[in-house]
Amino acid sequence: MNQHIGQADCDSSLMRQKLKADLHRVAERMNLTLSRFDHDSVCLLGQFAEIRAEIKHIEVLASSFYLDCYLSPFTEKFAELTSSVQHLSDRRYGALIVIEREVPLETMIHSGVAVDAKVTHALLESLFIPGAPLHDGAVLIRGNQIVSAGNVLPLSQAEAHERKLGTRHRAALGLSELTDAVVLVVSEETGQASFAVDGALHPINVVETLT
């Protein structure tokens, strides 16, 4: 497991209180459901579905918060990045955005086309328009600069739960398994936005991230 994931600046007391309250609420619901096993003949499948949905909401909230923590020491363009991901997600444009942190990535990726421009949401989004020359590859960001586009990343062999991962998600996971990079990924099929770090994928809600 990588040790480069920043712990500083992630100790927001307000967020911790929010997550703690949400977890307590789920725990109370689980205890109530458990107590009904011996006293109710009612089908509890609906309760399980509600608990699962609440846990998913908490995961998304936490992921959106920690994404900012992971990126803020390495780029000042967090708002531009999340705005781009939101727009790409809304349009269901597949995207793969790599943010370099402490580990240099030159030897870990097959370099694409040099861009060497400041990060803006307009430029980022234009690189992933379907049919654009570089839309299938990954964009590499270092600091506040888009270094290159159309990069090829190492693929992970992992599978998420019971479903097979698409190429973009395998690429995001693959690089995060080998380096401390944070990789933003947008599904072309569903529009779901996620980020990969330390060999794991986490769903994000870019609307909550922006607020």
Side-chain angles (χ1 to χ4, degrees):
M1 186 172 181
N2 291 330
Q3 299 300 318
H4 295 90
I5 294 176
Q7 299 299 324
D9 302 323
C10 287
D11 188 17
S12 165
S13 59
L14 289 177
M15 177 57 67
R16 289 173 67 89
Q17 290 172 14
K18 167 67 174 169
L19 292 175
K20 187 174 181 179
D22 288 347
L23 289 170
H24 274 301
R25 187 178 64 253
V26 171
E28 289 171 2
R29 180 181 283 269
M30 292 179 69
N31 285 330
L32 178 61
T33 302
L34 182 61
S35 69
R36 295 181 64 181
F37 263 102
D38 295 328
H39 305 289
D40 257 339
S41 59
V42 177
C43 177
L44 299 177
L45 292 179
Q47 295 287 326
F48 297 152
E50 290 177 6
I51 291 170
R52 186 165 58 249
E54 286 194 43
I55 292 174
K56 184 69 173 179
H57 173 75
I58 295 170
E59 179 189 6
V60 171
L61 181 65
S63 295
S64 301
F65 167 69
Y66 282 108
L67 176 61
D68 188 7
C69 295
Y70 297 154
L71 293 184
S72 58
F74 300 95
T75 179
E76 298 171 349
K77 298 296 185 176
F78 181 74
E80 296 282 349
L81 290 170
T82 50
S83 178
S84 297
V85 169
Q86 180 184 12
H87 295 157
L88 292 165
S89 176
D90 290 343
R91 294 168 175 78
R92 294 194 179 185
Y93 289 174
L96 200 55
I97 303 170
V98 178
I99 299 90
E100 184 179 86
R101 299 204 291 168
E102 294 181 4
V103 176
L105 300 178
E106 285 86 353
T107 61
M108 304 304 300
I109 65 177
H110 295 288
S111 298
V113 176
V115 176
D116 193 25
K118 287 185 178 180
V119 174
T120 67
H121 68 84
L123 177 55
L124 266 179
E125 291 162 37
S126 70
L127 292 170
F128 293 110
I129 294 174
L134 304 175
H135 84 281
D136 276 334
V139 166
L140 173 61
I141 291 175
R142 179 181 299 127
N144 300 326
Q145 295 287 113
I146 299 176
V147 177
S148 56
N151 299 288
V152 179
L153 310 183
L155 298 182
S156 172
Q157 300 304 312
E159 292 187 0
H161 304 296
E162 298 178 356
R163 65 178 178 84
K164 290 186 177 181
L165 293 169
T167 303
R168 283 190 181 87
H169 291 82
R170 288 177 58 203
L173 275 177
L175 188 64
S176 75
E177 289 167 353
L178 299 172
T179 73
D180 69 338
V182 173
V183 188
L184 304 173
V185 58
V186 178
S187 169
E188 189 173 9
E189 294 182 358
T190 66
Q192 172 63 54
S194 309
F195 74 91
V197 68
D198 202 22
L201 272 172
H202 305 282
I204 55 175
N205 183 327
V206 288
V207 175
E208 292 213 21
T209 304
L210 288 166
T211 57

